[in-house]
Every structure is written in C-alpha cells, then in structure tokens.
Amino acid sequence: MNDMATISRVQPEYSAAAKAFLARKPQLFINNEWVDSSHGATIDVEDPSTGKIIGKVVDASDRDVDRAVMAARAAFDDGRWSGLPPMARERIMIRLADLIEANADELAELEAIDNGKPKTMAGAVDVPGAASHIRFMAGWASKVNGEVIQPYTMPEGAVFGYTRKEPVGVCAQIVPWNFPLLMACLKIAPALAAGCTTVLKPAEQTSLTALRLADLIAEAGFPAGVVNVITGNGHTAGDRMVKHPEVDKVAFTGSTEIGKLINRNATESLKRVTLELGGKSPVVVMPDVDVAATAPGVAGAIFFNSGQVCVAGSRLYAHKSVFDQVLEGMAETAPFWAPRPSLDPEAHMGPLVSKEQHDRVMGYIEAGKRDGASVVMGGDSPEGYYVNPTILADVNPQMSVVREEIFGPVVVAQRFDDLDEVAKEANNTCYGLGAGVWTKDVSTLHKLAGKIKAGTVWGNCHAMIDTALPFGGYKESGLGREQGRQGVEAYMETKTVIVQL
Ligand code: NAI
Ligand code: MG
C-alpha cells in the first residue's frame, strides 16, 4: 500500500476534440437549436482530477426553463412525435444509439474530464450502457399496447371495452453526476419510446456529455422540441421544472433528500413521479465462498466509480469464519484501485466528483474514527479530491458510517453468525435499493433474496444492471421502476374506452 503515496497524479492532455468542445459558447438546446440564455449566469466546469476550471455552462434562468418546457409542450401537443408511426420513432432512436457509439471515444473522454471517472471505465460501462438503453427502449415504441377486455357485469357482445396506452406528456428529467450520460439516456429512452417529449437537466457538476448528446439528438433526426437539454442549478432550474404547470411527469435520480422534496413539490398538481434515490446496500458473504474469487468482487462492489454508485455495496456482512480472509483479500486489491487522474490509462478509480463530495466523504471517515471504527485500509486522501479505497471495521449499527449513504470508496465491515440475524441486519436501514449475496449454496441464495428488502438482489456479483430488467428502490430508495417493460409503462397513461354496441 506504500506505493499508493508515490503515484504521480498528472492529468494527461485533453484531445483536440475535447478542447474544441470545452471552448464552445455556453448555450441551451431548445427546439433543436443552440440558444443563448435570457441572462448571463454561468456555472464553472471543473476537472476533478486537477481541480482546475476548464469551461462554463449556462445556469438556466426561470425564463430559460419556461422556454424549454413550452417547446416540449408544443412538440407534444401537435403530435409531431407521438403521432409518428412507431417504426419511425424506433428508427430515429436507433440512429441516436448508433451516433453515441460512433462518438464513443469523445463521449468517454468528456465524461472522464467532467466527472473524474477513468476514461477506460466510461468507455467500457457508461457509453455502451447509454446506447443499450436507447436501443432496447426503441423496440418498445411498437410493442406497448392496450388490450380488449370483456366486462364482468355485462353480457357478452353488449359492450366493447378496451384500453389504450397513451404517453403521459411533457417530462422533466433531472439526473445526477455519478453516471451523467448513462443516466441521461436511461431517462430519455423510455420517455421517447412512449411518445413523450422531455426537458432534460444534467447535474450542475457534470453537464458536458448531456450537451454533446444534444448535438447527436439533432443529428439523429428527432423533430424539434422533442428533447430539450438545459443546464443549471437544482434549487433554481430544477425546482422550476418540477413545479412547472405544463410538466406532466417528473423523473429524478439523486439524493433521497432532494427526491422527497421533489415528490412534495410535484404533488401540488399531482404530476406523475418516478424517483431513483440513495442506498446503503448490504453485501452478505456466506461461509462457503471461494474467498479468492469473492474478495475482489466485494471490493469492486464498493470501489467501482469511487463508490459514487447508488447501489454501492457499502455495508459488508461477512460470516465470522471467513471475515478475516475476505478483508485480507479486499486489501490486496488496494493497488488496483489506487486513485489516479481520469485520463491516465492505468486508472481504475479516479478522484471524487467535487471538493464538496470529497469533504463529505472525508467527514464520514473522520466521524467513523471518532465513533471507534478501526481503519483496516485507506482512510485518507492522498491529494486533491482523491480518496484512497477505505475499509472500516469494528463498527456498530448506531454509527453514521453504517446508517448513512457516504457515496465514496468506503465500506463498513461487520461479522455475522447466522442467516436470520444477517437478514435482519441487512434490512436495518431506511434504504432498499440493492443487495449482494455471495455463496455457492443455491438454496441459501434464494432464501436470502426473498428476505432482503431491496429492489435488486445480486447473487455472486454486484451492480450488474441490464436495461431489460426492472430497477428501482424499496423504502426510501425510490418510487416506481425504471428499465424493462415497467420502465416504459411509467411514461404512459392507461385509457379505458367503453362503447355500448
Ligand atoms: P442532489 O440530489 O442534490 O442532485 C441531483 C440532481 O438534482 C442534480 O441535477 C441537481 O441539480 C438536482 N436538484 C438539486 N436540488 C433540486 C431541487 N430542489 N429541485 C429539483 N432538482 C434539484 O445530489 P448532490 O447534492 O449532488 O449529492 C448529495 C448526495 O446525494 C451524495 O453525497 C449522495 O449521497 C447522494 N446522491 C445519490 C445519487 C444516486 O444515484 N442515488 C446521485 C447523486 C447524489
Ligand atoms: Mg444537492
């Protein structure tokens, strides 16, 4: 672990394409055009690998938000998108997926520069994931249908009853900074497949790839106003979007705190709401595991994306008979996860996204130490916004590091003795997003999968996410499901038609 201190953290030079993109005038994408903001306010773009300001984006005003919402409203109301043959909508969406893939290298670099994640990771996970969400959802444009239903109280043939699936309308889609392009595409894809129009707002920390995506949206051939991309702060632009009377549905990914606030604000006009929020996901390691294979998997569950993952495996429960070996095996992965600048080809983990997030995570580590936790590995920040992969042991369920979402490369490790006890501990949280179970015993795996209150339970893997499988949270981890058939249905209303014959 000593060699971690000697890593040289020099961010390699940006490509010419990235430099050209960063030099662009800060603008908003409304009605398929790049337009100026109604005021001059901007937000700095920072490279978290260096802490340097590298550009600016618009901080959208209320008037900017209104303009984007009205563009989406007009595009929805005249049916220029929902009225197209499903095949035409599918074709345009697939063109967008193709364009994302054709520009994969630039998108991965911009994501790395903006968020701090390794470009290799963005290229392997974020960009292909973004394209696959759009490809998969494109197919639903032609495959979500209503049904003909025989009424219960009326004689056969007296009445013709059927349902229609109709798009909800104008969507406000607000995404966070941990997977900026992936989250943007995960949001717009089902909305577009359903026939909705949208205003997308990336997080103020990471707006670059959403803006680059806007170029590709215009190029793919979407009619004007179907997708509008505005940048800006959450408490101003985001808030305006959520409260806007012309918005029919709000879709949000981010903190539980803001998710609750958004849900309250959207209630005024009973907007449709889906929320994808925080987590404190347990990882249970049973005594029968192959430790050599499990330990790196359990380390990856927390250290991937510097732990800035809603489903990060942040609470480890290892059976007492393997606890020490699992922690040793995890510690052996420390050099692999040693944080490096995002464009360093050897990086597997980058810095945290911002000074705010860095300070927040370090604050948790300090609180854990004060409360009596012992640092098995890491626990420090080598420089800048970098945090070394950290394992805390000797923790108890009262500590803030065990209860609260840290959103950094920090795992709290606990021992357990029996199955019932560990299921209870795993559920001892206000969250319920993900959970991992590591065992060779199929019966144990399925029993635990049934007992753990979480939207997704992984067996012998973690954070494996596929666009065809529904994803969402129990308890305070969210509302509704994204992805899969449920994902597109969350953007549709069901209309019943009853005709007396
Ligand atoms: P946040 O929840 O404040 O920000 C997420 C998005 O919501 C951003 O686009 C932001 O502009 C927008 N937003 C903020 N306030 C808003 C409001 N009043 N109305 C409408 N939109 C609003 O997350 P933040 O502050 O960046 O991070 C704080 C903590 O949240 C993190 O430490 C982490 O624990 C958690 N988080 C969880 C994420 C997840 O994927 N579950 C993603 C990001 C953060
Ligand atoms: Mg916030």
Side-chain angles (χ1 to χ4, degrees), residues 204-205 255 257-258 356:
E204 50 272 34
Q205 299 87 346
S255 62
E257 180 197 354
I258 298 297
E356 186 188 356

Side-chain angles (χ1 to χ4, degrees), residues 292-317:
T294 302
V298 171
I302 182 65
F303 300 136
F304 170 64
N305 215 45
S306 304
Q308 301 168 129
V309 181
C310 53
V311 293
S314 51
R315 287 184 296 142
L316 172 65
Y317 296 93

